Amino acid sequence: MPMSKMPKSEMPSGALVLLILRVLQGAPLHGYAIAQKIHVLSAEVLTVEEGSLYPALQKLLLKGWATAEWGISETNRKVRFYSLTAAGRQQLTAELEEYGRVNGAIQAVLRMA
Amino acid sequence: MHEIWRRLQYLLQRQQRDAELADEMAFHREMAERDGGPEGGQIRLGNELSLREQSRDVWGWTWVDAMLQDLRFAARQLWKSPGFTISAVVMLAVGIGVNIAAFSFFNLMMLRTLPVRSPETLVRVHRSAPGKYWSDVPYPAIAFYRDHARTLTAVLALHYSKLTVDGDGGSAQAHFVSSNLMRELGGTARMGRVLDPALDERSGELVVVLGAGYWERQFGGDAGVVGRLIKLNGQVARIVGVASADFSGLTMQQPDLWLPIGQKPRYVTGSKILSDFSASDGSVDMWGRLAPGTSAAVAEQELQLLAAELRKQEPGSIWENERLITEPGGVVQNAGGMTRASGPQQTFREKLLPVFALIGTLAFLILAVACGNLGSLLLARGSAREREMSIRISVGAGSGRLVRQLLTESALLAGIGTVAGVGLGWVVLRVLLVWTEAPAWVNLTPDWRVAGFATVAGFVAALLFGLAPAMQIARQRFAAMGMRQVLIGTQVASSCVLLVVSGLLVRALEKAVAADLGFEFEQVVAVDARLGSHGYAPAAAGVFLETLKERLRGTAGIEAVGLSATPPLGGRRTTMTIEREGRSMIASLHAVDSGFFGTVKIQILRGRALERGDRDAVVVSDVVARFRWPGEDALGRELEMGDRRLTVLGVAADARLMAVEEGGGGDVYELYDERNATGMSVLVRASGPAEGLATHLREVVKGIDGQVVPEVSLLKGAYLRKVDSARRSAMAVSVMGGVALVLACLGIVGLVSFTISRRMKEIGIRIALGASPLQVVGPIAKRFAMPVGIGLGVGLMGAAGVSALLKSALHGVSHLDPVAYLGAVVVFLAAAVAAGVGPARRALQVDVAGVLRGD
């Protein structure tokens, strides 16, 4: 069953974690805000599904890249805010580097072939 | 590492964390709804649970919830059918309990250390050299090693003896030990003190510590006993303490008295135990405590060097290339046994191994029978749950999920059964220990090994009985007769093995009791004057023995008198190895006098008996002659013994002198060396019952030398003790066989009833059409003939294999004894038929009209 009426762009696997880490780099956000921010920043190309967002957030908690704290949302409701840990920042740097490397390689192939 | 920690944390808080997640996702939906985004809440609502589950899956604990769910369901299922549950648990408890008891016993004897201080650093020391072995070490050598060994922080010595106690005239089991033994082992006193090297010699008095059991028996547990005097062997000794009942010492024996070995010569006038390297005054066993960080191998090396050093001083006593070999010392040891042999020996523990292999096999067979039964029970239950399973499959339960559910049920059953089995095993062992009069310190509390074994046994059982039925149910093949027949066959085979083995043991016992041992023991009394212990020189001992023989010969009621260094059926044994073309035979070597053969009535088949003055000459038993010179005449041949050559003067009839059950070993007789006269026992044959003779014999000995305290024992008594142990093992195995038979019969009853209940309609029709009872039962019986037949066949073959382990305990009964095998088959068939009759009769009395109308 399609979740969205708009044509949906598939998120490359593994990229979601990278995006979440990057989005959290600025300030702590709650889950919905993370999804929104990615959606908006990608000019509404990328849509983060609930079914992939929350498992990804749990993975961040499990790996110790992020911690969750209870806070108050803009609608005045109690909600969990995720913030990066030191390990999370390291992971972000590492993933960014890796992404840059792979991306450069892919670009190179696309240009030359 | 941190990740595992976070995972565990999640496991502990998972309900709270799940709630948090639910709340968070609800917020997400609220926001999405508010924003009116395309992913509006309604569509998602149905997926909420599965979405949450996906997130939880990240933590990897979902299986815990699934398992808990399965367990709860299984518990409800079992609770709903208490009849099934109780019979299954009882069956399992028996199967597992017997195994746990057997393993605990093995654990106790072979694995578990004694309750002494740091048992793992204790080693038992034996002497060994090419062609020679002694289980004991002469005390002066022990003292030398104690003074010089750096790899041993302590050396312990133990010498078994008996002392007469004045007052009640009885004798007491005495352990003469190195003074440090009790303290070194962490032994405590119930009152007073234990032996102590610092205190024992201070007062100059003889000191004794009472064993806890002896104190209770002889002193009625009198609290004022410490400080009192007691007369032992005519000497006054002061009781300085009572040992705690928890103190095990190093053997299973529970001595009446603990005494310092240094004081032995004061009880036994002239005893040379402290200085005599030939150890003619009884054996001293040696233990050592390894220095911290030292291995037994290193200690052995040092001891070997020390032995070589000592040989320079005592060339005649320490053997060439003598090695001192060690074995773990902090475990149960054979008490009081002494082996001196002309070849390498199996240690006590090595000898026990086949016994445990047999016990283990039998116990496992009982478990197999129990599991077979349970399997049938579960199958029968499976068909009763046919509807339930069909429904669950049709609403979409995968067969993997069903199998998991059913296995969980089996595992739960196995868990309950194991717990019950541990309890039952404990009771069985308890009874066993009381029955064998085991010491009070024996600790029955299951340790980690027993717990581990129980878990494995339970797990194996759950797999054995749970898997096959589960697979069948999941595959929807409820009629599964084939599986049932395999199960019945297994049970029949297993119980058949047990029946045959118990049959064999009973036969062996019969034979042992009825057997002609080949010599006269009913009316023979052994008198051990222990002249060596009393400081007799060999020459004086010779005179003493001659005087004693002379006086006894003149006594009315005494028919014959002879001498032997190793009285028949006693604990002392000297062996030699006879070799021919690479095969060897262990023979007992007996140093005797010319009167020996006549006294115990051993027939000389060829040649002649030994006569006074025969030098370098022997009489061999028939089996030795046939082994060494098959098909030839042994007379006049030479037998090699070390570097000596002995001429065979005669061949004696085979006699089982050393053990009732012994088979295969032979005997070699030699005139005793007068230099060894101090170690000789006098054998006296009475003309009537021997019981009345003992007092008279003591008096005669006293009449020659008032100092000498002889040990007088009836050979019949030793014989009865030996038969008794055989009787015990036969009985234990018979009980096991009986249990297996009952279990197997229960299985057959269940199976027959089940088959009949499924074919009620057919039976009803047959009866309605006028079939005779035989025609009704016949086809059903036929279905069982095959599995029972095959099971019996396999069982008989298995029994032939297993009973080979038993050979030494069979008293010469062949392990393929046809009577035992036939007996087992007859007993089994009778039991099986009896088990089938009840359900069959019920089938014939069926209400035909009711059955045909039903369904």
Side-chain angles (χ1 to χ4, degrees), chain B residues 63 143 283 319 324 368 374 397 413 441 521 527 567-568 629 726 734 748 811 824:
Chain B
W63 60 269
S283 62
W319 308 326
L324 289 137
L374 264 176
L413 264 185
W441 52 261
F521 63 89
V527 182
W629 300 282
S734 300
I748 291 174
H811 304 227

Side-chain angles (χ1 to χ4, degrees), chain B residues 797-811:
Chain B
M797 282 188 286
V802 170
S803 56
L805 282 171
L806 266 178
K807 273 181 188 158
S808 71
L810 286 182
H811 304 227

Side-chain angles (χ1 to χ4, degrees), chain B residues 70 385 389 392-393 397-411 462-463 466-476:
Chain B
D70 279 353
R385 289 166 75 179
M389 292 298 157
R392 293 174 65 181
I393 288 177
S399 63
R401 190 73 187 75
L402 277 187
V403 167
R404 201 169 79 191
Q405 170 59 45
L406 291 168
L407 275 182
T408 309
E409 234 175 273
S410 305
L463 276 185
L467 194 57
M471 294 304 281
Q472 281 198 330
I473 289 168
R475 273 199 248 124
Q476 293 277 291

Side-chain angles (χ1 to χ4, degrees), chain B residues 65-75 401 404-405 408:
Chain B
D65 295 305
M67 200 182 71
L68 285 177
Q69 195 191 352
D70 279 353
L71 267 180
R72 272 194 294 271
F73 183 74
R401 190 73 187 75
R404 201 169 79 191
Q405 170 59 45
T408 309

Side-chain angles (χ1 to χ4, degrees), chain A residues 1 3-5 30-32 35-36 47-55 57-59 61-64 70 73-75 77-80 82, chain B residues 2-3 6-7 10 17 20-21 23-35 37-40 43-44 47 51 54-56 58-59:
Chain A
M1 181 184 294
M3 294 289 158
S4 162
K5 288 168 203 150
H30 55 71
Y32 184 72
Q36 281 302 326
T47 300
V48 184
E49 303 279 351
E50 224 183 316
S52 44
L53 172 66
Y54 287 93
L57 285 173
Q58 296 289 322
K59 187 181 170 193
L61 290 179
L62 171 67
K63 293 284 180 191
W70 288 99
S73 75
E74 52 274 32
T75 54
R77 188 191 186 287
K78 211 163 70 88
V79 71
R80 280 208 292 198
Y82 293 83
Chain B
H2 292 301
E3 193 175 321
R6 279 190 290 272
R7 251 185 233 275
Y10 183 87
R17 302 277 284 261
E20 287 173 2
L21 186 65
D23 187 48
E24 193 174 11
M25 289 169 79
F27 168 78
H28 190 109
R29 231 163 288 126
E30 281 164 29
M31 294 296 283
E33 221 161 311
R34 199 192 60 149
D35 291 356
E39 53 249 72
I43 315 165
R44 292 289 170 75
N47 288 334
L51 280 177
Q54 280 172 31
S55 299
R56 275 196 319 228
V58 171
W59 296 92

